Amino acid sequence: MATVTVTYIGGDQPITVAAIVPALPSVPVDEPAALIDLPTLTERRLAATGADPVDITPTEWWASARGARTAPAVRALASHRGLGEVRADRAALRTRLRDAPLGVGLQGALVLGFGTALAFAAAAFVLNAVVTAGERAHEFAVLRILGVHPRQVAGMLAVEQAYLVVLGLLGGTVLGLVVARLTVPHIVVDVRATRPYPPAGAVVQWPVLLAMIAGVIGVLGLVLLPMAAALRRRALGTDIRAGEDR
């Protein structure tokens, strides 16, 4: 632990640094400050110099609320003006910054980009499945002639497409999380278009993400059902002749 000397109304006083934090409430980020225990500071000065304690009256209080529910505390203070007034409400400030136009615009752009990418991915999946089923119709017909049940053929096609879906979802999720971790802290700004403090970080809502992945799998699974049904209804003779023509 290091010892530094600070200057205040009563004179210079050495203090021991217990910890270093990036910033303190009510202090600008770029300005240095120290958080000192006032009773201890007064006792140390009295013991060292014998001088009368300096009358320093606190001008603000920091209070915490259970479960970060600050609204009841703010209402209680508002009903007792003699206790002072609330200069800053951390929960309300977080909500205001979250709903700021710049933040809402960024969220809208991300949601729009995600929806567009999901639509293109679903279209590409459907197109790939249709093309694959058409190109391998002759192969599937041969398997059916050899005694493979149509359900088994449809199941084989479903397993192949499911492998692509799972691989794509896992790769896309991992890539999205990495990109979010690397880019979100640098592109989020506050209402003054400056980097906020505390710095923004990517918060992953795992229940929402897992529900979304399950929904995508369900939608793509519904696409496979009519394809499997159509594959079972295809005429063997037509598929065999089409394969011979190619």
Side-chain angles (χ1 to χ4, degrees):
M1 293 185 180
T3 300
V4 297
T5 301
V6 297
T7 301
Y8 72 113
I9 299 176
D12 295 340
Q13 175 66 43
I15 61 173
T16 301
V17 179
I20 298 176
V21 295
L24 290 174
S26 72
V27 178
V29 180
D30 299 330
E31 293 185 9
L35 181 61
I36 305 173
D37 181 13
L38 181 58
T40 302
L41 180 63
T42 303
E43 293 176 2
R44 291 288 181 87
R45 175 166 174 75
L46 179 61
T49 64
D52 294 334
V54 179
D55 185 14
I56 301 178
T57 302
T59 58
E60 65 181 41
W61 296 89
W62 299 347
S64 62
R66 182 177 300 176
R69 298 177 64 252
T70 59
V74 172
R75 290 193 297 267
L77 286 175
S79 61
H80 298 81
R81 292 293 183 180
L83 298 178
E85 61 179 345
V86 179
R87 294 294 183 89
D89 183 353
R90 186 174 182 180
L93 177 61
R94 184 187 301 113
T95 302
R96 187 166 64 252
L97 293 177
R98 183 196 61 194
D99 298 336
L102 290 175
V104 173
L106 176 61
Q107 294 178 11
L110 292 176
V111 172
L112 181 61
F114 171 79
T116 303
L118 182 61
F120 277 107
F125 171 78
V126 173
L127 181 61
N128 176 74
V130 172
V131 171
T132 299
E135 290 181 347
R136 301 179 62 185
H138 178 71
E139 175 185 343
F140 294 151
V142 172
L143 291 176
R144 292 174 61 184
I145 291 176
L146 294 177
V148 178
H149 196 276
R151 291 184 178 179
Q152 295 176 320
V153 176
M156 181 180 65
L157 179 62
V159 169
E160 293 176 354
Q161 298 302 316
Y163 173 78
L164 297 177
V165 170
V166 173
L167 186 62
L169 287 176
L170 288 178
T173 301
V174 172
L175 180 61
L177 292 176
V178 172
V179 172
R181 296 286 185 183
L182 295 177
T183 59
V184 167
H186 302 287
I187 63 177
V188 176
V189 294
D190 58 14
V191 293
R192 294 172 295 182
T194 59
R195 184 171 297 181
Y197 188 87
V203 178
V204 181
Q205 300 290 342
W206 288 108
V208 177
L209 179 61
L210 295 178
M212 192 174 301
I213 292 176
V216 172
I217 294 177
V219 170
L220 298 182
L222 292 177
V223 174
L224 289 176
L225 292 179
M227 292 186 57
L231 184 63
R232 290 195 299 265
R233 291 195 301 266
R234 292 179 68 96
L236 293 179
T238 303
D239 291 338
I240 291 296
R241 287 194 298 272
E244 293 175 350
D245 295 338
R246 281 185 284 180

